[in-house]
Amino acid sequence: TELADILLETVDGRRTILFIDFDGTLVDFSPAPEKVVLSSSASSALRKLSKSDRFLPVIVSGRTRNFLQSVLLSMDIDMAAEH
């Protein structure tokens, strides 16, 4: 969550949309893409950012919304799926 902490400390009071790519950024590329798992550190960072008044995290992915929701579980995060 170091990146999340740094971001939270540096924003000057305006709400910032933070577009975050899923494959290759939040999770490593995998030979079995349907079996990727979000690491606990990535999950913790996303939860922290999603609860912040300063950020609006948006997950960007070519994957389906259903798949992303299954990986992100109950996180309240916007998505741009199936781009």
Side-chain angles (χ1 to χ4, degrees), residues 36-65:
V36 297
V37 176
L38 192 63
S39 71
S40 60
S41 61
S43 178
S44 177
L46 284 175
R47 285 184 195 286
K48 185 177 280 191
L49 291 170
S50 70
K51 292 178 182 174
S52 167
D53 292 334
R54 292 179 267 177
F55 288 98
L56 174 61
V58 178
I59 305 303
V60 179
S61 179
R63 293 176 180 261
T64 66
R65 178 171 295 281

Side-chain angles (χ1 to χ4, degrees), residues 22-23 27-37 63 67 70-71:
F22 186 76
D23 288 295
V27 298
D28 290 331
F29 289 109
S30 170
E34 69 282 356
K35 294 184 180 179
V36 297
V37 176
R63 293 176 180 261
F67 176 83
S70 72
V71 173

Side-chain angles (χ1 to χ4, degrees), residues 2-12 54-55:
E2 292 176 19
L3 178 58
D5 293 331
I6 291 168
L7 288 170
L8 290 170
E9 291 172 4
T10 58
V11 174
D12 64 2
R54 292 179 267 177
F55 288 98

Side-chain angles (χ1 to χ4, degrees), residues 60-81:
V60 179
S61 179
R63 293 176 180 261
T64 66
R65 178 171 295 281
N66 286 340
F67 176 83
L68 292 174
Q69 288 172 332
S70 72
V71 173
L72 299 171
L73 302 173
S74 61
M75 287 189 220
D76 185 24
I77 294 183
D78 290 325
M79 300 173 211

